[in-house]
Each structure stands twice: as structure tokens, then as C-alpha cells.
Amino acid sequence: MSLDKLKLSKSLVAAMTDAGFLTPKEIQTRTMSRILGGQDVIAVGPECSGKTTTYVLATLMKLKYAFEEAPRALILVPDVEHVDHVLEQFKLLNRNSTFRILGIDSRGTIETQMNEITDGCDIIVAVPDRARALYLKLALNTNKIQLFIVDNAELIVKKGLQLPVVELANSAYKSQHVVFTEVMHEKLNHMISPFMKDSAATIEVDEIGEKQAEVYQQMLYHVPNFRTKLNLLTLLLSDTEVFDKVVVFVNTRLTAQTVYKNFNQHKEGEISIYRSLFFDDKGYDDIEDFKNNPEARVLIVANENLGELNIEGIPFIFHFELPEQKETLIQRIVKHGNEDVVAITFSTDIELIEVKKIEQAIGQKLEVMELPENLKVVDAADKPKKKKGAQEDDESSERGAAFHEKKASNLKNYNYSAGAKAKMTYKNKKGLS
């Protein structure tokens, strides 16, 4: 497909060709005509799918002529790195510097930026909180904004910058609103719903990369918050018949303590922490001791300063939290030999972007599992509520106390056989009888 399909000006087609963009991306072919036509658009696509180039082209096409005093396009991005990236894209495609484009972030003083805006500009690329500060000082005039763009919206939500985005969008009430994001979730919907028109088009491009390696069976539980993660973990692992040997990965040793203490009463030695934060918590310093002990069922491991860990032979791998580097998770789920292992990931809305990056890297989707009916889902006010249709559980159950685990080096040859094909692949993907 040629660039002519995007219906760009000859100068923009030439700029794209010179920059090495010879064919349009799917997200460009599906969104460009809608943006140029004035429709509000929510565009969802993975990293490197062409989102930035799409709105840079659309902005240059829609403004048509340059040099007015007040800006006509406002582009909000999550941080200074994204400001620089977007400015580079405009520099690449804004031939002959037709438009005056200004970057606004924390690296400049408010006074200097006020003067730069007053001198006149056509397009502003800004981080939300600094743009809002300039708006409140009456330096940023939003009355002539024609195109209001939010890029990497999922990262803006993750950074807690929803309020300035909403205030600025509402102030530019005459403008067209366009949102680009890698994922959609409830918190993001909550941010954009006050200003997106009901007629807004949602366009999703789901480009999965080529499969690089065989991985274990992947399952994903999407939960609203950390507290619900705790409830889900304890509920699933209460099935001792299925989950007879499990490693649970968290990010810090403090979180490992929190997860451990959340378990209800259990047999001594059944649940333990790997290299515990506190000296008097006698967990395991050697994972082989955990593997060889038939009484040890669940080992909680922190990614913090972990290094290499041999989890071969353990049938269930839980990622309670997504590690900072996706490669950390990926190396644990790459299949070795004929082992049958189930890898289960928990994700909140904020972590869904990391899930997407993992899916791109492994070349396949994680299978989304339904939450159990009897799971206690915690709402935003941290008040436990039952999933609809579930029976009430006893709220008075006590939390298990910390325990002192003896090392089990003298116990040999415990054969848990990768969980009998990971308990028939987690009882046929949770279709329990």
C-alpha cells in the first residue's frame, strides 16, 4: 500500500519518503481520514505501531497554514523524553519549518515559557502539569485550539496526571480530541470520558510480533488493585490439590512479607519466603531445599537483587507483580524440554501496558481468565465487596503468623513431576468439575 492512501499533501508525502517511510502503517490508514475529517478518535496500538507519526502528519495537514499568535494544536505527552521524541518527528516532517513548534516541560522556567508562548507558536508539545500551570497563569490561550491530542495516555494515567489533562481538554472545548494509547482500561476511560464526544471512534490495532520461542501455558488474571491481588492469590492457592508446588514472584522483599502475612492459617513450613528481609523469618536461602521438601508448597520470591534462580521442575509460576524489565519474566516462561508448566500473571489496569509489551515480545496473547465467583474484590475505597453472585465468607478469619522454617537439606528425591502436567493444565484452564 502506498502513502497516497493517506491523502497527504505532496510535501508531506515527499517528507515521509525522504524519512524512509515508504508504506503507511495500519493505524495510519485506519485513523487518518477520521482525524482529518474532524472526528474525535481513540487509537489503540502497541509500541512502534506508528501512533506518533500519525498525529504529527494529521496535525501538519489540518493546520494548513502557519503563524498565528495563539496555538492551534496542543499535544500532551507523559514526560520530557516524549516531548523530545515528538519534536524530532515534527522536525523530520515539518519541511522548511513551516510551523512554529514549542516544547514545554520542566526543563525551562515558567517565565521563559510564558514569553515563548506570547511570542507566538502554532503547535505546543507539553507535559500536562506544566501546560496546566501556564494555562492558570493565563499564558496558554486554549481558545483557538483546533486539535487537542493526548499521546501515551496510559503512561499519563500511570503518572497520575489525569487532572491537568481533563482541565486543559475542557478548556479547549471547541477543539477536536484525539487520544493515542497502548492499552484501554477503566482508569483511562475515566480520564477521557469528560471531554471525548459520544461519536468518538475507537480504533484498535493489535500487531503481535513474530513468535520468538516456545513458552509455557500463559494465563492472565486482570484485577482492579493490589488488595484484590492478595485475595485472589490466597483464594487460588487454597486449592492444595492443584497447587502443590508453586513459586510466587513479587518485586520487593517488603511485598514478599505482605503477601506471606496475607495467607490465612496454614501448616508450618507450607508457605515460606526466599531470602527473607528479616533475620528471624527462617525461610529458604537455597531453592533446592524448597524443591526437595515435600511439606513446602509455596515459595514467595522477590525480584529485588535476585540474580539467577533455577525454577526448573516447579509446575506453577505466579507473577504477582510485573517485574520492571519484561525480560526478567520472559526468561522464566521460555519452555525447556518437555516440562509442562503453567505461568499465571496478575495485572492491574496500570500494569496492562507491561502485559502488552510481554505479549509483543513472545509473539502471543496471554489467555485472560475469569475471576472466581467467590473472590473478594476490593473497591476504590478499600472496602471489600463480593463479586456478584458470591456467598459471604467469614470476615473474622485471622491472618497466619510468621513462622520459623528449618532448612530441609537432608530431605532427598521428592518427586513432584512438574505437577502431573501442571495438574492437567490447571484443571483444563480452570474448567474445574
Side-chain angles (χ1 to χ4, degrees), residues 220-221 232 368-373 387 430:
L220 173 69
Y221 283 98
L232 177 60
V368 180
M369 308 295 291
E370 289 188 10
L371 296 179
E373 284 295 322
K387 203 166 177 283
K430 203 62 181 72

Side-chain angles (χ1 to χ4, degrees), residues 21 103 114 126 128 133 162 215 218 256 263 308 353 384-385:
F21 302 119
M114 289 174 67
Q162 298 96 313
V215 295
Q218 300 295 307
F263 282 99
E308 292 187 8
I353 181 174
K385 64 182 181 181

Side-chain angles (χ1 to χ4, degrees), residues 49-327:
S49 61
K51 297 189 293 296
T52 303
T53 307
T54 300
Y55 69 73
V56 167
L57 290 170
T59 302
L60 295 175
M61 278 292 292
K62 280 188 73 74
L63 298 192
K64 294 181 181 177
Y65 56 90
F67 304 115
E68 286 197 6
E69 290 185 4
R72 287 169 292 146
L74 177 60
I75 301 167
L76 298 181
V77 296
D79 50 43
V80 296
E81 290 79 14
H82 284 87
V83 170
D84 289 343
H85 173 66
V86 176
L87 291 177
E88 279 297 317
Q89 289 295 101
F90 270 112
K91 184 178 179 181
L92 194 64
L93 300 174
N94 181 31
R95 303 184 101 186
N96 303 319
S97 301
T98 310
F99 295 94
R100 295 168 299 174
I101 303 163
L102 181 61
I104 298 292
D105 54 58
S106 59
R107 290 173 293 187
T109 66
I110 290 259
E111 290 73 20
T112 300
Q113 291 166 350
M114 289 174 67
N115 292 332
E116 288 174 334
I117 294 174
T118 303
D119 289 342
C121 61
D122 301 296
I123 302 164
I124 290 180
V125 183
V127 294
D129 48 354
R130 181 55 65 95
R132 177 177 178 263
L134 290 163
Y135 169 73
L136 293 176
K137 286 183 175 290
L138 305 181
L140 175 56
N141 180 2
T142 58
N143 291 332
K144 292 192 176 182
I145 297 289
Q146 298 175 22
L147 196 55
F148 184 96
I149 298 170
V150 183
D151 191 19
N152 289 105
E154 77 290 343
L155 291 180
I156 287 176
V157 172
K158 188 173 183 179
K159 289 175 176 288
L161 296 172
Q162 298 96 313
L163 177 61
V165 171
V166 174
E167 286 190 6
L168 290 166
N170 287 334
S171 73
Y173 63 94
K174 296 179 183 178
S175 71
Q176 174 188 2
H177 299 93
V178 180
V179 174
F180 288 86
T181 181
E182 286 194 31
V183 295
M184 283 297 297
H185 51 64
E186 185 178 348
K187 289 184 178 179
L188 180 50
N189 274 322
H190 184 72
M191 180 182 76
I192 67 177
S193 59
F195 59 83
M196 295 298 290
K197 295 182 179 67
D198 293 337
S199 59
T202 299
I203 297 168
E204 186 167 0
V205 174
D206 198 6
E207 298 177 354
I208 294 292
E210 291 185 9
K211 198 168 186 177
Q212 300 296 322
E214 287 295 324
V215 295
Y216 297 129
Q217 176 75 40
Q218 300 295 307
M219 297 181 186
L220 173 69
Y221 283 98
H222 181 196
V223 295
N225 47 48
F226 182 86
R227 184 69 238 182
T228 306
K229 278 187 181 183
L230 290 172
N231 293 344
L232 177 60
L233 184 68
T234 54
L235 178 62
L236 294 181
L237 295 188
S238 66
D239 189 341
T240 58
E241 180 184 343
V242 171
F243 298 106
D244 58 351
K245 209 74 172 181
V246 177
V247 169
V248 178
F249 286 102
V250 298
N251 281 339
T252 69
R253 292 194 291 170
L254 276 175
T255 305
Q257 291 286 330
T258 301
V259 170
Y260 171 74
K261 291 179 180 179
N262 189 70
F263 282 99
N264 293 324
Q265 293 178 353
H266 52 80
K267 294 186 295 184
E268 183 174 343
E270 181 185 8
I271 300 170
S272 56
I273 301 174
Y274 182 69
R275 295 181 180 174
S276 174
L277 180 63
F278 300 110
F279 179 76
D280 57 348
D281 287 337
K282 305 249 176 152
Y284 288 97
D285 292 326
D286 188 339
I287 195 170
E288 296 303 320
D289 293 340
F290 168 74
K291 291 180 181 181
N292 291 329
N293 186 351
E295 302 300 323
R297 188 169 67 90
V298 178
L299 184 66
I300 306 165
V301 180
N303 294 319
E304 187 178 30
N305 301 320
L306 180 59
E308 292 187 8
L309 188 70
N310 180 13
I311 57 173
E312 186 176 349
I314 295 175
F316 290 98
I317 304 169
F318 278 77
H319 283 99
F320 182 85
E321 295 178 303
L322 277 295
E324 290 184 7
Q325 302 295 327
K326 67 178 183 294
E327 291 78 13

Side-chain angles (χ1 to χ4, degrees), residues 352-419:
L352 281 178
I353 181 174
E354 306 304 328
V355 172
K356 286 289 183 184
K357 293 183 187 303
I358 290 164
E359 290 176 337
Q360 291 294 314
I362 66 176
Q364 71 177 58
K365 290 278 208 177
L366 274 63
E367 182 179 5
V368 180
M369 308 295 291
E370 289 188 10
L371 296 179
E373 284 295 322
N374 55 341
L375 172 66
K376 289 182 184 177
V377 177
V378 181
D379 63 19
D382 288 330
K383 294 178 181 178
K385 64 182 181 181
K386 297 294 268 183
K387 203 166 177 283
K388 189 174 180 181
Q391 296 180 353
E392 289 295 327
D393 286 347
D394 182 7
E395 296 286 343
S396 63
S397 60
E398 296 180 356
R399 298 296 178 196
F403 73 101
H404 301 275
E405 171 69 82
K406 294 182 179 180
K407 291 189 73 172
S409 302
N410 58 329
L411 295 172
K412 305 294 183 183
N413 300 323
Y414 176 59
N415 181 14
Y416 43 87
S417 69

